Amino acid sequence: MMENKGYLGEVEYDAQAKIFHGDVINTRDVITFQGTTVKEIEKAFKDSVDDYIDWCKEEGAEPEKPLYM
């Protein structure tokens, strides 16, 4: 489990594809990320959360607040 700005990311490893993929699990909006190394998946998670927040601002929408589990 990873955390960034209150958003929680859950990661799985696909051995066949040799890739990590993850989802933000404490929001109804769909935020996904992927990488091939631990360093890449950590960066992709942070980048995805930041991209989501930036996209919401550009659209004039309030980013969905993370739900606390």
Side-chain angles (χ1 to χ4, degrees):
M1 188 84 57
M2 298 184 292
E3 188 275 332
N4 182 35
K5 300 180 181 176
Y7 294 92
L8 299 176
E10 185 173 71
V11 177
E12 294 183 16
Y13 180 69
D14 182 334
Q16 187 174 2
K18 296 187 179 0
I19 193 166
F20 293 100
H21 57 89
D23 298 290
V24 173
I25 60 169
N26 63 335
T27 182
R28 289 175 292 198
D29 287 337
V30 177
I31 306 170
T32 63
F33 49 97
Q34 66 181 25
T36 57
T37 66
V38 172
K39 188 174 183 175
E40 279 184 15
I41 196 72
E42 289 174 340
K43 182 176 182 340
F45 170 61
K46 291 176 184 175
D47 289 348
S48 290
V49 169
D50 291 342
D51 289 347
Y52 166 71
I53 292 169
D54 290 344
W55 179 82
C56 287
K57 288 179 184 176
E58 288 173 11
E59 295 295 313
E62 188 69 28
E64 186 175 320
K65 301 288 183 206
L67 304 171
Y68 291 96
M69 305 177 107

